[in-house]
Amino acid sequence: MRLQVILNALERHGSFVYESAAWADSSKEGLLVRVRPRRRSRPICSGCGNRGGTYDHLPERRFQHVPLWGLAVWLVYAARRVACPACGVKVERLPWASGKERTTSSFQWFLARWAKRLSWRETAEIFGTSWHTVFRAVKMAVCWGIRHRDLEGIEAVGIDEVAYRKGHQYFTLVYQIDRGSRRLLWVGQDRTKETLGRFFRFFGRRRTERLKYICSDMWKAYLSVIAREANGALHILDRFHIMQLFNKAIDKVRAQEARELKRKGFEVLKRTRWLLLKRRGNLKRKEVLRLNELLTHNLRTVKCYLMKEDFQRLWDYKAPWRIGSFFQEWLDRALSTRIEPMRNLARTLERHAEQIFNWFEAKGEISAGAVEGMNLKVKLTTRRSYGFRDPSTLKYALYHNLGNLPEPPSTHKF
């Protein structure tokens, strides 16, 4: 079977013929497939899309195609210029490539799919092309996917910020967190009111009114915009973010108390940070024994840890009156302590009590860790994308890996 027969079977272009195939050079590491227009076919204007007469021909150009049997493949074609009545003299539109690209659209989709599994540099090295070619392929796939994705039927979204660079450089990320459908919907630079406001303008008033749940942390900018733009949705402060506040308070108390004890010659809190911050179920046997020993000491850090563990009981209650009663009782105990970080935490929880109670109302509909699960994937993508100088490049990488974007039918899937 000849290579032209395979190409015609997999990727046929009606007005063009795969004329011949030959080795690219004596090393036999690549193939050149020459393409010519069919007789009496008229070229299509790249400006208006209408057919016109042939004005002249440009020099031959190579278009890198999907590799075959480990061999690089190039399509070779001398493009015609069209004498278009509407646009003047224009280069014809080619069905296998767009614009001035030197790679075929099939090869771009091929690279974009591999770029989800490997870093862009690794993808470029494996398939004999450049990093910039892989980037353009990813950008093409993202733009096509965003134009063709379906945004209807979204009922739950999660909003969070992720630092992508040192110096308080943040992205605001909005996810769809419906059961059975979790994906990145939108990326905005910075974490201000204006940033989140742009998302709701993009999302549209009609879709916003159909939202049932919005999950976020306690960032004031987000809270005010959500209250203004989506007051019909149930706003939830999820369990993960709340327990994260506890860990920050405990860590602050532990660091301060460890310094005080060290000056007195005691190092009982040395190397205990993760014993106190990790969930007890995730501790190893040696760590559990060390933690039990630590809890026998009368320390402010130990008191904070026990208060955190006691607060965990809140999530197990079902009856609304039990939830409210326990919450208020815990607040009273926390506010009566002399440990200022815990007092500040209690005041914060008291201010956001309504959004915390909404978690119970939405229980069973939204997973509390859905947003943070997506954030872990964001951090993995960010690490793999280390070295990106332009934030917009990282945006394309995030959409590409987390957006669950649609793709056109292709014969070159693997």
Side-chain angles (χ1 to χ4, degrees), residues 25-42:
D25 50 41
S26 58
S27 65
K28 296 185 178 181
E29 293 181 353
L31 295 168
L32 297 182
V33 180
R34 297 193 176 277
V35 184
R36 65 169 176 82
R38 291 187 182 277
R39 293 185 180 87
R40 294 186 294 277
S41 68
R42 303 180 73 202

Side-chain angles (χ1 to χ4, degrees), residues 82-137:
V82 187
C84 179
C87 305
V89 178
K90 290 278 187 179
V91 179
E92 69 175 315
R93 181 183 299 172
L94 302 178
W96 59 82
S98 60
K100 296 181 180 181
E101 283 290 343
R102 291 300 183 99
T103 55
T104 65
S105 298
S106 295
F107 189 47
Q108 284 189 309
W109 281 107
F110 182 82
L111 291 174
R113 293 187 184 102
W114 272 105
K116 286 184 179 180
R117 293 159 173 80
L118 305 172
S119 70
W120 295 0
R121 184 176 299 279
E122 287 174 317
T123 304
E125 290 174 354
I126 290 172
F127 296 107
T129 186
S130 67
W131 182 93
H132 293 282
T133 300
V134 177
F135 163 65
R136 290 197 301 273

Side-chain angles (χ1 to χ4, degrees), residues 109 113 116 140-150 183 399-400 403-409 413:
W109 281 107
R113 293 187 184 102
K116 286 184 179 180
M140 176 276 303
V142 168
C143 292
W144 192 95
I146 288 177
R147 287 197 305 270
H148 292 84
R149 66 178 174 173
D150 183 13
R183 56 176 171 163
Y399 278 123
H400 187 53
N404 194 21
L405 298 174
E407 297 179 0
K413 285 188 176 181

Side-chain angles (χ1 to χ4, degrees), residues 8 21 23 38 47-48 66 74 84 89 270 290 305 316 324 339 342 355 366 390:
N8 274 317
W23 294 113
R38 291 187 182 277
C48 61
V66 180
W74 290 275
C84 179
V89 178
K270 187 176 182 180
R290 178 89 190 280
Y305 176 81
D316 298 326
I339 305 172
M342 294 304 293
Q355 288 87 1
I366 293 181
D390 189 352

